Amino acid sequence: MCDLEHAHDAHHFGFLVDHPEIRKLIDDTRRSRNAFAADAERVAALRPAFARLLAADGWLPEKCAVPDRTSGMGGGIGQYALYRAEDGSLCLFSLVVPAGAATPVHDHLAWGLVGIYRGRQHETVYRRLDDGSDPARATLEIAKQQTLGQGEFYTLLPPLDDIHYVKTISEAPSISIHLLANDTACIWRHRFEPASGVVTPFRSGYANAPCPPEPHGT
Ligand SMILES: [Fe+2]
């Protein structure tokens, strides 16, 4: 289900990996959207369901748990869609970061929950000091750093703590699970170079599903 060879004849939205544990989390997320108007309340309510998925075994196919040498993110980092709402309002994906590899510094632009399923990661979170008026520049400083192991997770509530990078510090690749309120790999977001202040448009793409065509071919 997670290999590109069959991407052309697979379905690319809905449950790309259909497992009761994944269905339960997506059902809980849909319910929480109706029950809570505020993003902070919604992600707080989803914490038990997300923790349960991280603690469960046997639901992540091996093909969604391996590095991707053709990665759009570089470093052999694999990003595999597990669930995608067709309207772009929600996705669940695995991110496989090989030992010693790090993501670019990036943002997410949606609320969500991110947790460690296998291995260990070190996360560096940045605070933005400028007003964001120049799309090509950003002034960043490190806001916090933390190490995360299996079952540990954090919330995303942009703009708070939305810019970060993670590095795998375990000997085996780390696998993190991401529940976000957009189609994360297919939206245009941003890659940051903190030392120079350069900001670059960035679309990571999924290893196992294509992104919808862009209206103007960009
Ligand atoms: Fe991230």
Side-chain angles (χ1 to χ4, degrees):
M1 280 177 204
C2 283
D3 51 339
L4 262 179
E5 319 152 38
H6 302 302
H8 62 281
D9 56 10
H11 61 284
H12 302 131
F13 291 99
F15 290 93
L16 285 83
V17 174
D18 199 349
H19 190 283
E21 295 287 356
I22 293 177
R23 282 195 176 263
K24 172 147 189 9
L25 178 63
I26 299 303
D27 286 349
D28 287 348
T29 305
R30 288 184 182 134
R31 271 197 292 275
S32 79
R33 298 183 91 129
N34 297 328
F36 302 100
D39 294 345
E41 291 177 13
R42 192 177 302 122
V43 291
L46 282 169
R47 290 179 70 90
F50 194 69
R52 174 188 152 129
L53 184 71
L54 292 179
D57 279 325
W59 58 268
L60 185 66
E62 183 58 27
K63 287 177 178 175
C64 302
V66 292
D68 170 20
R69 297 296 161 207
T70 63
S71 172
M73 207 178 285
I77 296 169
Q79 185 169 6
Y80 301 93
L82 309 174
Y83 170 83
R84 296 169 76 197
E86 197 144 4
D87 64 1
S89 65
L90 186 68
C91 69
L92 182 73
F93 63 88
S94 60
L95 189 79
V96 183
V97 182
T103 65
V105 179
H106 61 272
D107 58 10
H108 309 83
L109 307 177
W111 61 262
L113 288 155
V114 182
I116 307 298
Y117 189 57
R118 298 285 182 262
R120 289 180 73 76
Q121 290 181 355
H122 187 259
E123 182 197 23
T124 301
V125 180
Y126 291 88
R127 178 186 301 124
R128 187 164 189 166
L129 301 179
D130 63 303
D131 63 7
S133 57
D134 183 346
R137 312 279 313 172
T139 305
L140 303 179
E141 71 173 13
I142 293 175
K144 67 179 174 189
Q145 295 182 294
Q146 60 179 345
T147 296
L148 295 146
Q150 191 169 351
E152 295 182 297
F153 61 97
Y154 52 88
T155 57
L156 295 172
L157 286 167
L160 182 67
D161 294 347
D162 193 40
I163 300 173
H164 77 164
Y165 77 93
V166 299
K167 178 177 182 175
T168 294
I169 55 172
S170 47
E171 286 183 17
S174 67
I175 303 173
S176 47
I177 304 301
H178 303 238
L179 178 72
L180 268 81
N182 60 10
D183 193 13
T184 311
C186 291
I187 63 161
W188 283 98
R189 44 197 177 122
H190 305 94
R191 180 194 299 249
F192 301 85
E193 294 170 33
S196 65
V198 170
V199 181
T200 311
F202 166 60
R203 189 163 80 153
S204 50
Y206 297 109
N208 61 330
C211 290
E214 299 244 61
H216 305 295
T218 51

